[in-house]
Amino acid sequence: MTATTKDTFAMTLPTYFIPHGAGPCFFMEWGRGPAGQWDRMADWLKGLVEGLSERPKAILVVSGHWEADAFTVGSAARPPMIFDYYGFPAHTYELSFPAPGAPDLARRIRGLIAAAGLPAAEDAARGYDHGVFIPLLLATPKADIPVVQLSLRHDLDPEAHLALGRALKPLRDEGVLIVGSGMSWHNMRGFSPAFTDRSAAFDAWLESAMTEPARRDAAIRGWAGAPFAREAHPREEHLAPLFVAAGAAEGEAGRLAFRDTVMDVVVSGYEFGG
């Protein structure tokens, strides 16, 4: 894929922060909790691309499962699979997501990041981790839209990730759908009824912060002061993709696009701009 311009794409695409579930949860029988508890999330992800008025030319995914010293763009033409989950049924290690990469777009992304004064790099070997292929197997089951993955930065600094989003904003006019893939609640010891109310309190704060553009950036910078923030995210690698998605739509409307209770906690997804 080569860079495009707004003249060749009719709309400015929104950005999304999506929950990508737990490992390969959508593609197996889940043994804990009520049957079908991932169904609503799966249904929402299935409609993510279908719900757009124009089909994206490419998808850029910032996954909570890739961190690097500098923001690093995956530039492989045919990215392999990275099965970075453990202890699941054998068939979940045979999933295939053959979406092509987009080396030209990867170079453009690196250029945008560098132009914003942020260190940037490329990785021509890295494949799709499950923060990419699990939700996109639902959203693009034919794997017929080119996909580029972009890393987080190891320090998870909110301001740097907001700045990354701002740098990526022009892509929205070029047919590139920007998706932050993580989880709004990600405490591996905090999926139990003991945390239901705390997850609801954190999620209420998150909705308020993300849907008020005038205070969104400040809320992101100070997210650790939110109710039960460090119980929601002992380490915020699954929240940082939200910072990027929000930064790429700075000053634009945000809305709660999805909410459900899974594994006894409240989780949510957001749409910005568009």
Side-chain angles (χ1 to χ4, degrees), residues 29 66 113 176 195:
E29 292 295 326
W66 186 16
I113 298 169
V176 180
F195 289 87

mmCIF file of all heavy atoms in Angstrom, residues 29 66 113 176 195:
data_model
loop_
_atom_site.group_PDB
_atom_site.id
_atom_site.type_symbol
_atom_site.label_atom_id
_atom_site.label_comp_id
_atom_site.label_asym_id
_atom_site.label_seq_id
_atom_site.Cartn_x
_atom_site.Cartn_y
_atom_site.Cartn_z
ATOM 1 N N GLU A 29 -14.123 -22.950 23.830
ATOM 2 C CA GLU A 29 -15.075 -23.022 24.928
ATOM 3 C C GLU A 29 -14.399 -22.466 26.181
ATOM 4 O O GLU A 29 -13.348 -22.958 26.590
ATOM 5 C CB GLU A 29 -15.500 -24.474 25.162
ATOM 6 C CG GLU A 29 -16.330 -25.067 24.037
ATOM 7 C CD GLU A 29 -17.673 -24.381 23.882
ATOM 8 O OE1 GLU A 29 -18.247 -23.951 24.911
ATOM 9 O OE2 GLU A 29 -18.144 -24.267 22.741
ATOM 10 N N TRP A 66 3.141 -5.442 22.577
ATOM 11 C CA TRP A 66 4.439 -5.135 21.964
ATOM 12 C C TRP A 66 4.960 -3.827 22.535
ATOM 13 O O TRP A 66 4.311 -2.799 22.412
ATOM 14 C CB TRP A 66 4.324 -5.039 20.444
ATOM 15 C CG TRP A 66 5.644 -4.861 19.737
ATOM 16 C CD1 TRP A 66 6.892 -5.070 20.243
ATOM 17 C CD2 TRP A 66 5.832 -4.432 18.375
ATOM 18 N NE1 TRP A 66 7.842 -4.813 19.285
ATOM 19 C CE2 TRP A 66 7.219 -4.430 18.138
ATOM 20 C CE3 TRP A 66 4.953 -4.076 17.352
ATOM 21 C CZ2 TRP A 66 7.768 -4.061 16.902
ATOM 22 C CZ3 TRP A 66 5.493 -3.717 16.111
ATOM 23 C CH2 TRP A 66 6.878 -3.707 15.898
ATOM 24 N N ILE A 113 6.126 9.739 12.695
ATOM 25 C CA ILE A 113 6.588 9.706 14.088
ATOM 26 C C ILE A 113 7.868 10.516 14.235
ATOM 27 O O ILE A 113 8.016 11.334 15.155
ATOM 28 C CB ILE A 113 6.783 8.256 14.557
ATOM 29 C CG1 ILE A 113 5.460 7.496 14.512
ATOM 30 C CG2 ILE A 113 7.352 8.220 15.975
ATOM 31 C CD1 ILE A 113 5.612 5.996 14.704
ATOM 32 N N VAL A 176 -6.696 5.004 6.658
ATOM 33 C CA VAL A 176 -6.093 4.095 7.631
ATOM 34 C C VAL A 176 -6.892 4.148 8.937
ATOM 35 O O VAL A 176 -7.028 5.215 9.550
ATOM 36 C CB VAL A 176 -4.620 4.451 7.906
ATOM 37 C CG1 VAL A 176 -4.008 3.488 8.921
ATOM 38 C CG2 VAL A 176 -3.816 4.419 6.605
ATOM 39 N N PHE A 195 -13.798 -7.743 42.767
ATOM 40 C CA PHE A 195 -13.370 -6.541 42.046
ATOM 41 C C PHE A 195 -14.464 -5.954 41.167
ATOM 42 O O PHE A 195 -14.231 -4.967 40.478
ATOM 43 C CB PHE A 195 -12.144 -6.874 41.188
ATOM 44 C CG PHE A 195 -10.888 -7.102 41.973
ATOM 45 C CD1 PHE A 195 -10.607 -8.368 42.471
ATOM 46 C CD2 PHE A 195 -10.010 -6.070 42.238
ATOM 47 C CE1 PHE A 195 -9.449 -8.597 43.211
ATOM 48 C CE2 PHE A 195 -8.862 -6.278 42.969
ATOM 49 C CZ PHE A 195 -8.580 -7.552 43.463
#
